[in-house]
Amino acid sequence: MSNPIITIAIDGYSSSGKSTMAKVLAKKIGYRYIDSGAMYRAVTLYAMRNGMVSTDHVVDCNALRAALPNIKIDFNVCEDGQHTMLNNEDVEKEIRQLDVSNNVSQVAVIPAIRHALVAMQQAFGIEKGIVMDGRDIGTTVFPNAELKIFVNASAETRAMRRHKELLEKGQQTTYEEVLANVMTRDHIDETREESPLRCAEDAIVLDNSTMTINEQDAWLIDRFNETIAKHK
Ligand code: DC
């Protein structure tokens, strides 16, 4: 009997390593991977480019809501992985910059933006066979996902990993700056009214603070195999 095709939701705090593990799993099992955070980042970049975000991170919600029909987000599979496309422009690099990170939570609290992006995410997953990571995938986007994972690690561990990543990409920031960004985003993500970051009741929790990447990949493939066996 062939394996059932399932939906996999991976949620967790920013820089918890969930995207890394989601990408590896998707590749290994031949599923499509969607980074839902990249979609919020792309909308944020659009807002910043079009003068809808002030220097003190206040977003013009009405203008952004009105602009929604002009924002098209997609993903292109490239040799070095998946690239986020904003209105057919490759913005993969730009959406990872700290200035976008500093505004994205403010954009992600806007209900109209969340509704539009959740609908797009559900459309990506209509045929299952998808691994999606984010904050509300197991709770709001795919509440019926067969496998739900919630990833956590301490704020300090996450900031350290993110800082290293940014330095490797040639972006000059301090550890303190990154830690402040991680903590601010945690707070906004956890306390927003519309789909706050929270663990779905039926999610499996993983604290990967002391795990290597290989260990967490192996852990995830075990959870996948268990789920597949259960649904056969
Ligand atoms: O995973 P990330 O750091 O790239 O996500 C960027 C921001 O988008 C994060 O601060 C919270 C928000 N986000 C969200 O609200 N819901 C999602 N499903 C994914 C991300």
Side-chain angles (χ1 to χ4, degrees), residues 113-179:
I113 305 300
R114 298 205 72 82
H115 293 164
L117 291 189
V118 167
M120 270 187 230
Q121 289 152 8
Q122 288 171 335
F124 279 129
I126 197 108
E127 289 176 2
K128 298 193 168 207
I130 194 168
V131 181
M132 191 176 290
D133 73 7
R135 304 293 189 285
D136 59 343
I137 311 305
T139 52
T140 305
V141 181
F142 299 128
N144 297 323
E146 289 85 351
L147 177 58
K148 298 181 185 178
I149 308 287
F150 190 87
V151 191
N152 199 4
S154 70
E156 288 75 16
T157 305
R158 290 181 285 126
M160 226 145 59
R161 288 177 185 158
R162 183 97 190 105
H163 183 228
K164 189 167 163 261
E165 221 174 83
L166 288 170
L167 290 185
E168 279 166 7
K169 285 184 187 159
Q171 292 185 42
Q172 289 311 316
T173 55
T174 63
Y175 164 77
E176 286 72 24
E177 256 181 319
V178 178
L179 179 63

Short mmCIF file of all heavy atoms in Angstrom, two decimals, residues 113-179:
data_model
loop_
_atom_site.label_atom_id
_atom_site.label_comp_id
_atom_site.label_asym_id
_atom_site.label_seq_id
_atom_site.Cartn_x
_atom_site.Cartn_y
_atom_site.Cartn_z
N ILE A 113 -4.62 41.58 6.78
CA ILE A 113 -3.42 40.98 6.17
C ILE A 113 -3.38 39.49 6.50
O ILE A 113 -3.13 38.65 5.64
CB ILE A 113 -2.12 41.67 6.69
CG1 ILE A 113 -2.18 43.18 6.47
CG2 ILE A 113 -0.86 41.05 6.08
CD1 ILE A 113 -2.31 43.61 5.03
N ARG A 114 -3.64 39.16 7.76
CA ARG A 114 -3.62 37.75 8.17
C ARG A 114 -4.67 36.95 7.38
O ARG A 114 -4.38 35.88 6.89
CB ARG A 114 -3.89 37.59 9.67
CG ARG A 114 -2.86 38.24 10.57
CD ARG A 114 -2.81 37.55 11.94
NE ARG A 114 -2.22 36.25 11.83
CZ ARG A 114 -0.91 36.00 11.81
NH1 ARG A 114 -0.06 37.00 11.93
NH2 ARG A 114 -0.45 34.78 11.69
N HIS A 115 -5.89 37.52 7.24
CA HIS A 115 -6.93 36.78 6.52
C HIS A 115 -6.49 36.49 5.09
O HIS A 115 -6.65 35.38 4.59
CB HIS A 115 -8.25 37.58 6.51
CG HIS A 115 -8.84 37.71 7.89
ND1 HIS A 115 -9.80 38.62 8.21
CD2 HIS A 115 -8.56 37.03 9.03
CE1 HIS A 115 -10.11 38.49 9.49
NE2 HIS A 115 -9.37 37.54 10.01
N ALA A 116 -5.91 37.51 4.44
CA ALA A 116 -5.50 37.34 3.04
C ALA A 116 -4.39 36.29 2.93
O ALA A 116 -4.43 35.43 2.06
CB ALA A 116 -5.05 38.69 2.47
N LEU A 117 -3.42 36.37 3.84
CA LEU A 117 -2.29 35.43 3.75
C LEU A 117 -2.70 34.01 4.15
O LEU A 117 -2.26 33.04 3.55
CB LEU A 117 -1.10 35.93 4.57
CG LEU A 117 -0.42 37.19 4.01
CD1 LEU A 117 0.88 37.48 4.75
CD2 LEU A 117 -0.12 37.08 2.52
N VAL A 118 -3.58 33.90 5.14
CA VAL A 118 -4.05 32.56 5.54
C VAL A 118 -4.77 31.91 4.36
O VAL A 118 -4.57 30.73 4.06
CB VAL A 118 -4.94 32.63 6.82
CG1 VAL A 118 -5.68 31.31 7.04
CG2 VAL A 118 -4.09 32.96 8.04
N ALA A 119 -5.59 32.69 3.65
CA ALA A 119 -6.31 32.13 2.49
C ALA A 119 -5.31 31.66 1.43
O ALA A 119 -5.47 30.57 0.85
CB ALA A 119 -7.25 33.18 1.90
N MET A 120 -4.26 32.44 1.20
CA MET A 120 -3.23 32.05 0.22
C MET A 120 -2.54 30.77 0.67
O MET A 120 -2.27 29.87 -0.13
CB MET A 120 -2.15 33.13 0.11
CG MET A 120 -2.41 34.18 -0.94
SD MET A 120 -0.91 35.22 -1.02
CE MET A 120 -1.67 36.81 -0.90
N GLN A 121 -2.24 30.69 1.97
CA GLN A 121 -1.53 29.52 2.52
C GLN A 121 -2.41 28.27 2.40
O GLN A 121 -1.93 27.20 2.04
CB GLN A 121 -1.15 29.78 3.99
CG GLN A 121 -0.04 30.82 4.10
CD GLN A 121 -0.08 31.61 5.40
OE1 GLN A 121 -0.84 31.31 6.31
NE2 GLN A 121 0.74 32.65 5.48
N GLN A 122 -3.71 28.43 2.67
CA GLN A 122 -4.60 27.28 2.55
C GLN A 122 -4.69 26.81 1.10
O GLN A 122 -4.75 25.62 0.83
CB GLN A 122 -5.99 27.64 3.11
CG GLN A 122 -5.94 27.75 4.63
CD GLN A 122 -7.20 28.33 5.26
OE1 GLN A 122 -7.93 29.07 4.61
NE2 GLN A 122 -7.43 28.03 6.52
N ALA A 123 -4.64 27.77 0.16
CA ALA A 123 -4.68 27.40 -1.26
C ALA A 123 -3.41 26.62 -1.64
O ALA A 123 -3.49 25.63 -2.37
CB ALA A 123 -4.82 28.65 -2.12
N PHE A 124 -2.26 27.02 -1.09
CA PHE A 124 -1.01 26.28 -1.37
C PHE A 124 -1.14 24.83 -0.90
O PHE A 124 -0.54 23.93 -1.48
CB PHE A 124 0.18 26.90 -0.63
CG PHE A 124 0.79 28.11 -1.30
CD1 PHE A 124 1.00 29.29 -0.59
CD2 PHE A 124 1.19 28.07 -2.62
CE1 PHE A 124 1.59 30.40 -1.19
CE2 PHE A 124 1.78 29.17 -3.23
CZ PHE A 124 1.98 30.34 -2.52
N GLY A 125 -1.91 24.62 0.17
CA GLY A 125 -1.95 23.29 0.79
C GLY A 125 -3.15 22.46 0.40
O GLY A 125 -3.38 21.40 1.00
N ILE A 126 -3.89 22.92 -0.57
CA ILE A 126 -5.17 22.26 -0.89
C ILE A 126 -5.00 20.78 -1.24
O ILE A 126 -5.87 19.97 -0.92
CB ILE A 126 -5.92 23.05 -2.01
CG1 ILE A 126 -7.39 22.65 -2.06
CG2 ILE A 126 -5.30 22.91 -3.37
CD1 ILE A 126 -8.29 23.72 -1.55
N GLU A 127 -3.89 20.44 -1.87
CA GLU A 127 -3.71 19.03 -2.27
C GLU A 127 -2.86 18.23 -1.27
O GLU A 127 -2.39 17.14 -1.58
CB GLU A 127 -3.08 18.97 -3.66
CG GLU A 127 -4.08 19.42 -4.71
CD GLU A 127 -3.51 19.47 -6.10
OE1 GLU A 127 -2.33 19.12 -6.28
OE2 GLU A 127 -4.25 19.87 -6.99
N LYS A 128 -2.62 18.80 -0.10
CA LYS A 128 -1.75 18.18 0.93
C LYS A 128 -0.33 18.01 0.38
O LYS A 128 0.02 18.67 -0.58
CB LYS A 128 -2.33 16.88 1.42
CG LYS A 128 -3.70 17.06 2.07
CD LYS A 128 -4.07 15.81 2.80
CE LYS A 128 -5.26 16.08 3.70
NZ LYS A 128 -5.29 15.19 4.82
N GLY A 129 0.45 17.13 0.97
CA GLY A 129 1.82 16.94 0.49
C GLY A 129 2.63 18.21 0.69
O GLY A 129 3.46 18.60 -0.14
N ILE A 130 2.40 18.88 1.82
CA ILE A 130 3.04 20.17 2.07
C ILE A 130 3.61 20.23 3.48
O ILE A 130 3.03 19.64 4.42
CB ILE A 130 2.00 21.30 1.83
CG1 ILE A 130 2.69 22.66 1.72
CG2 ILE A 130 0.93 21.34 2.90
CD1 ILE A 130 1.78 23.75 1.20
N VAL A 131 4.74 20.90 3.62
CA VAL A 131 5.29 21.21 4.94
C VAL A 131 5.27 22.74 5.02
O VAL A 131 5.89 23.40 4.19
CB VAL A 131 6.76 20.74 5.08
CG1 VAL A 131 7.29 21.05 6.48
CG2 VAL A 131 6.90 19.25 4.78
N MET A 132 4.53 23.28 5.96
CA MET A 132 4.48 24.74 6.09
C MET A 132 4.93 25.13 7.48
O MET A 132 4.54 24.51 8.46
CB MET A 132 3.07 25.25 5.83
CG MET A 132 3.02 26.78 5.69
SD MET A 132 1.39 27.41 5.28
CE MET A 132 1.16 26.87 3.60
N ASP A 133 5.77 26.16 7.57
CA ASP A 133 6.17 26.61 8.90
C ASP A 133 5.71 28.03 9.16
O ASP A 133 5.46 28.79 8.24
CB ASP A 133 7.68 26.42 9.13
CG ASP A 133 8.54 27.40 8.39
OD1 ASP A 133 8.02 28.32 7.77
OD2 ASP A 133 9.77 27.24 8.44
N GLY A 134 5.52 28.34 10.44
CA GLY A 134 5.03 29.66 10.81
C GLY A 134 4.71 29.77 12.28
O GLY A 134 5.44 29.22 13.13
N ARG A 135 3.63 30.50 12.58
CA ARG A 135 3.24 30.72 13.97
C ARG A 135 1.86 30.14 14.26
O ARG A 135 1.54 29.80 15.39
CB ARG A 135 3.17 32.23 14.29
CG ARG A 135 4.42 33.01 14.02
CD ARG A 135 5.52 32.60 14.97
NE ARG A 135 6.67 33.48 14.86
CZ ARG A 135 7.54 33.48 13.88
NH1 ARG A 135 7.40 32.62 12.89
NH2 ARG A 135 8.57 34.31 13.87
N ASP A 136 1.01 30.10 13.22
CA ASP A 136 -0.40 29.71 13.41
C ASP A 136 -0.81 28.63 12.43
O ASP A 136 -1.97 28.51 12.10
CB ASP A 136 -1.29 30.96 13.19
CG ASP A 136 -1.11 31.54 11.78
OD1 ASP A 136 -0.09 31.22 11.13
OD2 ASP A 136 -1.97 32.32 11.36
N ILE A 137 0.15 27.85 11.96
CA ILE A 137 -0.17 26.87 10.92
C ILE A 137 -1.02 25.73 11.51
O ILE A 137 -2.05 25.37 10.95
CB ILE A 137 1.11 26.32 10.23
CG1 ILE A 137 2.04 27.47 9.82
CG2 ILE A 137 0.75 25.45 9.03
CD1 ILE A 137 1.41 28.52 8.93
N GLY A 138 -0.60 25.23 12.68
CA GLY A 138 -1.35 24.12 13.30
C GLY A 138 -2.64 24.57 13.96
O GLY A 138 -3.54 23.77 14.19
N THR A 139 -2.75 25.86 14.28
CA THR A 139 -3.95 26.34 14.97
C THR A 139 -4.98 26.93 14.00
O THR A 139 -6.17 26.70 14.14
CB THR A 139 -3.59 27.41 16.02
OG1 THR A 139 -2.79 28.42 15.37
CG2 THR A 139 -2.83 26.84 17.18
N THR A 140 -4.51 27.71 13.02
CA THR A 140 -5.45 28.45 12.16
C THR A 140 -5.42 28.01 10.70
O THR A 140 -6.46 27.85 10.08
CB THR A 140 -5.11 29.97 12.23
OG1 THR A 140 -5.11 30.36 13.59
CG2 THR A 140 -6.10 30.80 11.44
N VAL A 141 -4.21 27.86 10.14
CA VAL A 141 -4.13 27.60 8.69
C VAL A 141 -4.55 26.16 8.38
O VAL A 141 -5.44 25.93 7.55
CB VAL A 141 -2.70 27.89 8.15
CG1 VAL A 141 -2.64 27.64 6.65
CG2 VAL A 141 -2.30 29.33 8.45
N PHE A 142 -3.93 25.20 9.07
CA PHE A 142 -4.28 23.79 8.85
C PHE A 142 -4.60 23.12 10.20
O PHE A 142 -3.81 22.30 10.71
CB PHE A 142 -3.12 23.03 8.18
CG PHE A 142 -2.74 23.56 6.83
CD1 PHE A 142 -1.42 23.89 6.53
CD2 PHE A 142 -3.70 23.73 5.83
CE1 PHE A 142 -1.05 24.38 5.28
CE2 PHE A 142 -3.34 24.22 4.56
CZ PHE A 142 -2.03 24.54 4.29
N PRO A 143 -5.75 23.46 10.80
CA PRO A 143 -6.06 22.85 12.10
C PRO A 143 -6.22 21.33 12.01
O PRO A 143 -6.15 20.65 13.03
CB PRO A 143 -7.37 23.54 12.52
CG PRO A 143 -7.90 24.19 11.29
CD PRO A 143 -6.77 24.42 10.36
N ASN A 144 -6.43 20.80 10.79
CA ASN A 144 -6.58 19.35 10.64
C ASN A 144 -5.30 18.66 10.17
O ASN A 144 -5.35 17.49 9.76
CB ASN A 144 -7.70 19.03 9.65
CG ASN A 144 -9.04 19.53 10.17
OD1 ASN A 144 -9.30 19.47 11.38
ND2 ASN A 144 -9.85 20.07 9.29
N ALA A 145 -4.18 19.36 10.23
CA ALA A 145 -2.92 18.74 9.78
C ALA A 145 -2.67 17.45 10.56
O ALA A 145 -2.92 17.40 11.77
CB ALA A 145 -1.77 19.71 10.01
N GLU A 146 -2.20 16.44 9.85
CA GLU A 146 -1.97 15.14 10.50
C GLU A 146 -0.77 15.18 11.43
O GLU A 146 -0.72 14.47 12.43
CB GLU A 146 -1.73 14.04 9.44
CG GLU A 146 -2.96 13.65 8.64
CD GLU A 146 -3.21 14.55 7.44
OE1 GLU A 146 -2.55 15.60 7.30
OE2 GLU A 146 -4.11 14.21 6.65
N LEU A 147 0.22 16.02 11.09
CA LEU A 147 1.40 16.14 11.96
C LEU A 147 1.64 17.61 12.29
O LEU A 147 1.77 18.45 11.39
CB LEU A 147 2.64 15.55 11.25
CG LEU A 147 3.99 15.66 12.00
CD1 LEU A 147 3.93 15.01 13.38
CD2 LEU A 147 5.13 15.05 11.18
N LYS A 148 1.66 17.91 13.59
CA LYS A 148 1.89 19.28 14.04
C LYS A 148 3.08 19.28 15.00
O LYS A 148 3.08 18.50 15.97
CB LYS A 148 0.67 19.83 14.79
CG LYS A 148 -0.58 19.92 13.95
CD LYS A 148 -1.71 20.50 14.77
CE LYS A 148 -3.00 20.47 13.97
NZ LYS A 148 -4.14 20.99 14.77
N ILE A 149 4.02 20.17 14.73
CA ILE A 149 5.18 20.27 15.61
C ILE A 149 5.25 21.72 16.11
O ILE A 149 5.00 22.66 15.35
CB ILE A 149 6.49 19.98 14.81
CG1 ILE A 149 6.40 18.66 14.05
CG2 ILE A 149 7.71 20.05 15.71
CD1 ILE A 149 6.48 17.41 14.87
N PHE A 150 5.61 21.88 17.38
CA PHE A 150 5.83 23.22 17.93
C PHE A 150 7.26 23.27 18.46
O PHE A 150 7.64 22.51 19.35
CB PHE A 150 4.84 23.50 19.06
CG PHE A 150 4.87 24.94 19.50
CD1 PHE A 150 4.08 25.90 18.87
CD2 PHE A 150 5.70 25.34 20.54
CE1 PHE A 150 4.13 27.23 19.26
CE2 PHE A 150 5.75 26.67 20.94
CZ PHE A 150 4.96 27.61 20.30
N VAL A 151 8.06 24.14 17.84
CA VAL A 151 9.50 24.18 18.16
C VAL A 151 9.81 25.35 19.08
O VAL A 151 9.36 26.48 18.86
CB VAL A 151 10.35 24.35 16.87
CG1 VAL A 151 11.82 24.11 17.18
CG2 VAL A 151 9.88 23.43 15.78
N ASN A 152 10.61 25.08 20.08
CA ASN A 152 11.04 26.16 20.97
C ASN A 152 12.52 26.00 21.32
O ASN A 152 13.10 24.93 21.21
CB ASN A 152 10.21 26.18 22.25
CG ASN A 152 10.32 27.51 22.94
OD1 ASN A 152 10.96 28.43 22.43
ND2 ASN A 152 9.74 27.62 24.11
N ALA A 153 13.11 27.11 21.72
CA ALA A 153 14.48 27.15 22.25
C ALA A 153 14.55 28.47 23.01
O ALA A 153 13.73 29.37 22.76
CB ALA A 153 15.50 27.12 21.12
N SER A 154 15.49 28.62 23.92
CA SER A 154 15.54 29.85 24.71
C SER A 154 15.81 31.05 23.79
O SER A 154 16.40 30.90 22.72
CB SER A 154 16.64 29.75 25.76
OG SER A 154 17.90 29.80 25.11
N ALA A 155 15.40 32.25 24.23
CA ALA A 155 15.60 33.47 23.43
C ALA A 155 17.08 33.67 23.15
O ALA A 155 17.47 34.08 22.04
CB ALA A 155 15.01 34.67 24.16
N GLU A 156 17.92 33.38 24.14
CA GLU A 156 19.37 33.59 23.98
C GLU A 156 19.94 32.63 22.92
O GLU A 156 20.72 33.05 22.08
CB GLU A 156 20.10 33.36 25.31
CG GLU A 156 19.87 34.45 26.35
CD GLU A 156 18.49 34.38 27.00
OE1 GLU A 156 17.80 33.34 26.88
OE2 GLU A 156 18.07 35.39 27.61
N THR A 157 19.53 31.39 22.97
CA THR A 157 20.00 30.42 21.97
C THR A 157 19.56 30.86 20.58
O THR A 157 20.34 30.83 19.62
CB THR A 157 19.38 29.01 22.25
OG1 THR A 157 19.71 28.65 23.58
CG2 THR A 157 19.90 27.97 21.29
N ARG A 158 18.31 31.30 20.47
CA ARG A 158 17.80 31.69 19.16
C ARG A 158 18.52 32.93 18.64
O ARG A 158 18.86 33.02 17.46
CB ARG A 158 16.28 31.91 19.24
CG ARG A 158 15.55 30.60 19.43
CD ARG A 158 14.06 30.78 19.48
NE ARG A 158 13.57 31.32 20.73
CZ ARG A 158 12.81 32.40 20.84
NH1 ARG A 158 12.44 33.06 19.79
NH2 ARG A 158 12.41 32.81 22.02
N ALA A 159 18.77 33.90 19.53
CA ALA A 159 19.47 35.12 19.11
C ALA A 159 20.89 34.80 18.67
O ALA A 159 21.40 35.37 17.69
CB ALA A 159 19.47 36.14 20.25
N MET A 160 21.53 33.88 19.37
CA MET A 160 22.90 33.50 19.04
C MET A 160 22.95 32.88 17.63
O MET A 160 23.79 33.23 16.82
CB MET A 160 23.41 32.49 20.06
CG MET A 160 24.79 32.77 20.58
SD MET A 160 24.90 32.27 22.29
CE MET A 160 24.52 30.55 22.22
N ARG A 161 22.01 32.00 17.36
CA ARG A 161 21.95 31.35 16.05
C ARG A 161 21.69 32.38 14.95
O ARG A 161 22.32 32.34 13.89
CB ARG A 161 20.79 30.34 16.01
CG ARG A 161 21.04 29.10 16.84
CD ARG A 161 19.77 28.26 16.75
NE ARG A 161 19.82 27.09 17.61
CZ ARG A 161 18.76 26.44 18.03
NH1 ARG A 161 17.55 26.85 17.70
NH2 ARG A 161 18.88 25.39 18.78
N ARG A 162 20.74 33.27 15.21
CA ARG A 162 20.35 34.28 14.20
C ARG A 162 21.51 35.24 13.94
O ARG A 162 21.78 35.62 12.81
CB ARG A 162 19.11 35.02 14.70
CG ARG A 162 18.56 36.02 13.77
CD ARG A 162 17.40 35.44 12.95
NE ARG A 162 17.04 36.36 11.88
CZ ARG A 162 17.36 36.19 10.61
NH1 ARG A 162 17.98 35.11 10.22
NH2 ARG A 162 17.01 37.09 9.72
N HIS A 163 22.20 35.63 15.01
CA HIS A 163 23.33 36.55 14.88
C HIS A 163 24.41 35.93 14.00
O HIS A 163 24.94 36.57 13.09
CB HIS A 163 23.86 36.88 16.29
CG HIS A 163 24.97 37.88 16.28
ND1 HIS A 163 26.15 37.71 16.97
CD2 HIS A 163 25.10 39.06 15.63
CE1 HIS A 163 26.93 38.74 16.75
NE2 HIS A 163 26.33 39.58 15.94
N LYS A 164 24.71 34.67 14.25
CA LYS A 164 25.72 33.96 13.47
C LYS A 164 25.32 33.92 11.99
O LYS A 164 26.12 34.18 11.09
CB LYS A 164 25.85 32.54 14.05
CG LYS A 164 27.01 31.75 13.49
CD LYS A 164 27.25 30.49 14.34
CE LYS A 164 28.11 29.52 13.58
NZ LYS A 164 27.36 28.45 12.93
N GLU A 165 24.03 33.63 11.77
CA GLU A 165 23.51 33.54 10.40
C GLU A 165 23.66 34.88 9.67
O GLU A 165 24.11 34.93 8.52
CB GLU A 165 22.02 33.24 10.54
CG GLU A 165 21.41 32.25 9.59
CD GLU A 165 19.98 32.03 10.05
OE1 GLU A 165 19.08 32.84 9.70
OE2 GLU A 165 19.75 31.05 10.77
N LEU A 166 23.31 35.97 10.38
CA LEU A 166 23.38 37.31 9.76
C LEU A 166 24.83 37.67 9.45
O LEU A 166 25.13 38.22 8.38
CB LEU A 166 22.74 38.36 10.67
CG LEU A 166 21.21 38.30 10.77
CD1 LEU A 166 20.69 39.22 11.87
CD2 LEU A 166 20.54 38.67 9.44
N LEU A 167 25.74 37.35 10.38
CA LEU A 167 27.17 37.65 10.15
C LEU A 167 27.68 36.87 8.94
O LEU A 167 28.40 37.40 8.10
CB LEU A 167 28.01 37.32 11.38
CG LEU A 167 27.82 38.21 12.60
CD1 LEU A 167 28.81 37.82 13.70
CD2 LEU A 167 27.99 39.69 12.27
N GLU A 168 27.25 35.61 8.84
CA GLU A 168 27.67 34.79 7.70
C GLU A 168 27.18 35.35 6.38
O GLU A 168 27.79 35.18 5.35
CB GLU A 168 27.16 33.34 7.87
CG GLU A 168 28.06 32.53 8.81
CD GLU A 168 27.42 31.23 9.28
OE1 GLU A 168 26.32 30.87 8.79
OE2 GLU A 168 28.00 30.59 10.17
N LYS A 169 26.01 36.04 6.45
CA LYS A 169 25.46 36.65 5.23
C LYS A 169 26.05 38.03 5.00
O LYS A 169 25.63 38.76 4.10
CB LYS A 169 23.93 36.77 5.37
CG LYS A 169 23.22 35.46 5.21
CD LYS A 169 21.73 35.68 5.26
CE LYS A 169 20.96 34.38 5.28
NZ LYS A 169 19.61 34.54 5.80
N GLY A 170 26.99 38.44 5.86
CA GLY A 170 27.67 39.72 5.68
C GLY A 170 26.92 40.91 6.26
O GLY A 170 27.23 42.07 5.97
N GLN A 171 25.89 40.65 7.09
CA GLN A 171 25.14 41.77 7.68
C GLN A 171 25.72 42.11 9.05
O GLN A 171 25.80 41.24 9.91
CB GLN A 171 23.67 41.41 7.80
CG GLN A 171 23.00 41.29 6.43
CD GLN A 171 21.51 41.04 6.59
OE1 GLN A 171 20.85 41.65 7.42
NE2 GLN A 171 20.98 40.14 5.79
N GLN A 172 26.10 43.34 9.23
CA GLN A 172 26.74 43.76 10.48
C GLN A 172 25.72 44.11 11.55
O GLN A 172 25.04 45.12 11.45
CB GLN A 172 27.65 44.97 10.21
CG GLN A 172 28.91 44.64 9.40
CD GLN A 172 29.68 43.43 9.95
OE1 GLN A 172 29.87 43.30 11.16
NE2 GLN A 172 30.08 42.52 9.05
N THR A 173 25.58 43.26 12.55
CA THR A 173 24.69 43.57 13.68
C THR A 173 25.35 43.02 14.93
O THR A 173 26.25 42.18 14.85
CB THR A 173 23.31 42.86 13.56
OG1 THR A 173 23.53 41.46 13.42
CG2 THR A 173 22.50 43.38 12.42
N THR A 174 24.88 43.50 16.07
CA THR A 174 25.44 42.96 17.31
C THR A 174 24.48 41.89 17.85
O THR A 174 23.29 41.88 17.50
CB THR A 174 25.58 44.06 18.39
OG1 THR A 174 24.26 44.55 18.68
CG2 THR A 174 26.47 45.19 17.91
N TYR A 175 25.01 41.05 18.72
CA TYR A 175 24.19 40.01 19.37
C TYR A 175 23.05 40.68 20.15
O TYR A 175 21.91 40.22 20.13
CB TYR A 175 25.07 39.17 20.30
CG TYR A 175 24.28 38.34 21.29
CD1 TYR A 175 23.64 37.17 20.88
CD2 TYR A 175 24.16 38.75 22.62
CE1 TYR A 175 22.89 36.42 21.77
CE2 TYR A 175 23.41 38.00 23.52
CZ TYR A 175 22.78 36.85 23.10
OH TYR A 175 22.02 36.11 23.99
N GLU A 176 23.37 41.82 20.82
CA GLU A 176 22.37 42.50 21.65
C GLU A 176 21.20 42.98 20.80
O GLU A 176 20.03 42.89 21.19
CB GLU A 176 22.99 43.69 22.41
CG GLU A 176 23.87 43.30 23.58
CD GLU A 176 25.21 42.68 23.15
OE1 GLU A 176 25.67 42.96 22.01
OE2 GLU A 176 25.80 41.91 23.94
N GLU A 177 21.53 43.51 19.60
CA GLU A 177 20.49 44.00 18.69
C GLU A 177 19.56 42.86 18.27
O GLU A 177 18.34 43.00 18.24
CB GLU A 177 21.15 44.54 17.40
CG GLU A 177 21.20 46.04 17.29
CD GLU A 177 21.86 46.45 15.96
OE1 GLU A 177 22.86 45.82 15.55
OE2 GLU A 177 21.37 47.36 15.35
N VAL A 178 20.18 41.73 17.95
CA VAL A 178 19.41 40.58 17.49
C VAL A 178 18.55 40.03 18.63
O VAL A 178 17.37 39.72 18.45
CB VAL A 178 20.32 39.48 16.91
CG1 VAL A 178 19.52 38.26 16.47
CG2 VAL A 178 21.12 40.01 15.72
N LEU A 179 19.12 39.96 19.84
CA LEU A 179 18.37 39.47 21.00
C LEU A 179 17.15 40.37 21.26
O LEU A 179 16.05 39.89 21.52
CB LEU A 179 19.27 39.41 22.25
CG LEU A 179 18.58 38.93 23.52
CD1 LEU A 179 18.09 37.47 23.39
CD2 LEU A 179 19.52 39.02 24.74
#
